[in-house]
């Protein structure tokens, strides 16, 4: 007897952007798991809100660190791998008992989602099902009413954690760009956009579809960006 791990995309923040399927599966879960930064409520859990059934056991996975240790630091991969091993072992114990787990993930689970690391560990041994979610980027470009990719435009999705030279290279190549994981990288992103000549079209979106949403031309964006922010550069609108 073994259960099933249902990895549910929770969308970009507005609870009305949850899918009917995610809500239905959540209602039938024995156990609901989610990730959170230490001391924070857990974004995916907040979106799920009252859809988490009273009977479900809740499992919270606190990241050992979020922005405190850089991805380049050798400790990062080692400690994160140990953390994901531990989370997967906790879920495996529930799955061995035949339980139905809902693992919540903001946006879409397979786009920069932590749930992917648990999927990699669990899927060779247990049944897993993925329910897509509306991505943060589609939530943000809709919030900003910004048509993004026209005709034969090429769209690139860039993590702002990469170095400035690599950002410039990618920004010079494509037509439309989504730059995610802004946070502490805002100055670097501004510099890369200026060097690639794309700064004037860039739109900054903070907490898209959530309360406190902000959509502004990047030139007028605040000096500091939170974790839930991204920069959108629309395509060239040449194929009308
Ligand atoms: C670890 S990634 C998770 C992406 C998520 N799985 C998705 O499908 O959008 C986190 C990054 O997504 C972006 N993000 C996700 N939702 C957002 C939102 N509602 N508003 C602004 N940025 C968002 C931010 O750039 C943030 O740093």
């Amino acid at each position: 007897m073994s259960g099933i791990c249902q990895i549910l995309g929770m969308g970009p923040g507005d609870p009305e952007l949850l899918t009917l399927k995610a809500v239905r599966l959540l209602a039938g879960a024995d156990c609901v798991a989610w990730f959170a930064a230490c001391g924070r409520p857990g974004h995916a859990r907040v979106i799920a809100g009252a859809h988490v059934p009273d009977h479900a056991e809740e499992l919270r996975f606190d990241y050992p660190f979020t922005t405190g240790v850089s991805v380049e630091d050798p400790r990062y991969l080692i400690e994160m791998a140990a953390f994901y091993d531990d989370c997967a072992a906790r879920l495996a114990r529930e799955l061995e008992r035949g339980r139905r787990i809902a693992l919540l993930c903001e946006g879409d689970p397979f786009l920069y989602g932590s749930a992917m690391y648990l999927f990699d560990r669990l899927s060779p041994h247990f049944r897993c099902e993925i329910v897509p979610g509306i991505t943060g980027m589609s939530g943000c470009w809709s919030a900003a009413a910004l048509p993004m990719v026209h005709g034969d435009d090429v769209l690139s999705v860039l993590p702002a954690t990469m170095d400035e030279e690599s950002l410039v290279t990618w920004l010079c190549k494509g037509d439309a760009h989504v730059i995610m994981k802004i946070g502490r990288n805002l100055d670097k992103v501004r510099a890369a956009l200026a060097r690639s000549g794309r700064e004037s079209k860039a739109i900054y979106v903070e907490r898209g579809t959530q309360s406190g949403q902000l959509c502004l031309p990047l030139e007028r964006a605040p000096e500091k960006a939170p974790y839930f922010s991204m920069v959108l550069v629309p395509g060239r609108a040449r194929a009308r």
Side-chain angles (χ1 to χ4, degrees):
M1 182 182 73
S2 79
I4 182 166
C5 183
Q6 292 167 323
I7 303 179
L8 310 182
M10 294 284 106
D14 178 349
E16 288 193 74
L17 295 176
L18 276 166
T19 64
L20 296 174
K21 185 162 187 173
V23 169
R24 178 174 61 78
L25 295 183
L26 198 43
D30 301 312
C31 181
V32 177
W34 75 91
F35 294 96
C38 245
R40 297 289 186 84
H43 189 61
R45 176 65 183 85
V46 171
I47 302 170
H51 294 296
V52 174
D54 291 340
H55 67 257
E57 184 185 339
E58 298 203 35
L59 280 182
R60 174 187 169 112
F61 299 141
D62 280 299
Y63 290 112
F65 38 76
T66 40
T67 52
V69 177
S70 123
V71 184
E72 277 83 46
D73 188 319
R75 274 189 307 150
Y76 183 91
L77 281 183
I78 295 167
E79 291 188 32
M80 288 305 284
F83 167 66
Y84 290 130
D85 285 346
D86 181 57
C87 299
R90 286 170 70 187
L91 293 188
R93 283 196 289 276
E94 302 301 328
L95 292 166
E96 277 157 7
R97 295 170 58 199
R99 300 187 90 190
R100 181 177 288 261
I101 293 172
L103 174 59
L104 311 183
C105 189
E106 75 212 20
D108 183 273
F110 279 6
L111 183 78
Y112 297 124
S114 297
M116 286 187 291
Y117 302 103
L118 302 198
F119 172 80
D120 291 344
R121 286 162 170 79
L122 293 170
S123 60
H125 314 290
F126 299 100
R127 275 195 305 151
C128 291
E129 181 182 358
I130 321 302
V131 176
I134 294 179
T135 59
M137 61 183 161
S138 50
C140 287
W141 64 55
S142 301
L146 186 68
M148 279 292 290
V149 187
H150 302 80
D152 58 0
D153 277 350
V154 173
L155 168 70
S156 62
V157 180
L158 310 174
T161 44
M162 70 168 87
D163 61 72
E164 187 176 317
E165 289 308 313
S166 307
L167 276 173
V168 173
T169 304
W170 282 103
L171 289 169
C172 288
K173 274 186 190 162
D175 302 297
H177 308 279
V178 173
I179 312 177
M180 297 174 65
K181 307 187 181 184
I182 303 292
R184 294 178 180 183
N185 302 297
L186 183 59
D187 289 345
K188 179 175 61 180
V189 169
R190 282 187 201 276
L193 283 160
R195 285 176 58 192
S196 56
R198 308 305 306 275
E199 196 180 23
S200 64
K201 284 179 113 194
I203 303 295
Y204 170 82
V205 183
E206 184 174 311
R207 299 187 176 90
T209 84
Q210 306 165 16
S211 65
Q213 171 182 294
L214 205 56
C215 304
L216 290 169
L218 182 63
E219 288 155 347
R220 291 201 279 117
E223 278 181 20
K224 291 203 166 165
Y227 176 72
F228 276 103
S229 60
M230 67 174 69
V231 172
L232 304 171
V233 182
R236 290 175 183 161
R238 61 185 169 214
R240 287 176 188 256

